[in-house]
Amino acid sequence: MNIRSYIAENRARFIEEWAGLIRIPSVSCQPAHKDDMLRCAERWCELLLEAGVQRAEIMPSEGHPFVYAEYKYPNADANTPTVLVYSHYDVMPVEPIDLWHSNPWEPDIRDGRLYARGADDDKGQAMIQVKAFEYLVTEGLMKCNVKFIFEGEEEIGSPNLTPFIMQHKELLR
């Protein structure tokens, strides 16, 4: 199936999965959202497994957890490349709330565009990456290994990204 047909056939599911992520207020800089951060990481693990990775897990850090997932190409050999996909699942606060035209945690489609906190930066971008991966796996087109690393602290300067990378160098190779 070509990519346009795949998107058309799965559009409603893609939007609902994206909207489900958006509804999780994963605001890394607000302690009141600590549980939401974990819930968002857990949902990403589920979505990555559904997309075709063989392994997805939440990995702790000194701050918010990381999501690590991997796909090993079944016919891989020593020369098979590995692609590392980076994203983040935290979002900026919604304040001042009175500037929003709708509830920032409830996706609102207006004039064919979806509006909500995190709809683009970065849940939208990450969703595109995961759904492109899903398509390639589903259609048997994925010919490389893929590793995903999603962090929950990009909006606060990624203070635990470097320590995480240093601690997990072999995993991320």
Side-chain angles (χ1 to χ4, degrees):
M1 175 183 311
N2 71 48
I3 186 72
R4 291 184 192 278
S5 297
Y6 190 81
I7 292 168
E9 187 175 297
N10 291 283
R11 180 179 174 83
R13 176 175 62 89
F14 291 169
I15 291 172
E16 187 49 42
E17 290 172 352
W18 183 30
L21 282 168
I22 291 167
R23 288 183 183 108
I24 303 171
S26 52
V27 181
S28 57
C29 69
Q30 295 176 337
H33 291 289
K34 182 178 180 181
D35 291 343
D36 295 318
M37 295 298 295
L38 179 58
R39 191 163 51 105
C40 193
E42 290 169 341
R43 184 61 182 134
W44 271 119
C45 282
E46 293 168 357
L47 289 169
L48 285 158
L49 287 166
E50 291 166 8
V53 300
Q54 295 106 340
R55 172 184 176 189
E57 64 184 279
I58 295 171
M59 300 181 77
S61 78
E62 292 296 318
H64 297 295
F66 284 78
V67 174
Y68 173 79
E70 65 183 28
Y71 169 83
K72 291 186 179 178
Y73 175 53
N75 299 321
D77 61 30
N79 297 317
T80 302
T82 298
V83 175
L84 179 64
V85 178
Y86 164 86
S87 191
H88 65 93
Y89 62 90
D90 62 322
V91 299
M92 296 294 288
V94 296
E95 291 78 18
I97 195 76
D98 60 319
L99 295 180
W100 286 87
H101 297 289
S102 57
N103 178 344
W105 304 118
E106 186 55 43
D108 184 29
I109 298 177
R110 298 189 305 264
D111 299 321
R113 296 177 187 225
L114 191 144
Y115 293 87
R117 174 57 83 213
D120 180 40
D121 181 13
D122 198 36
K123 293 174 183 178
Q125 178 64 33
M127 183 61 75
I128 291 168
Q129 293 166 330
V130 171
K131 294 309 169 186
F133 167 81
E134 176 186 309
Y135 169 74
L136 293 171
V137 171
T138 299
E139 295 300 311
L141 301 171
M142 183 60 69
K143 305 295 186 203
C144 63
N145 301 311
V146 182
K147 295 181 179 189
F148 293 87
I149 185 77
F150 290 1
E151 68 158 311
E153 299 179 333
E154 191 275 343
E155 299 294 2
I156 57 173
S158 302
N160 289 295
L161 182 57
T162 298
F164 182 85
I165 291 169
M166 299 307 288
Q167 183 180 358
H168 300 285
K169 279 184 192 178
E170 284 304 309
L171 184 67
L172 300 173
R173 278 178 58 123

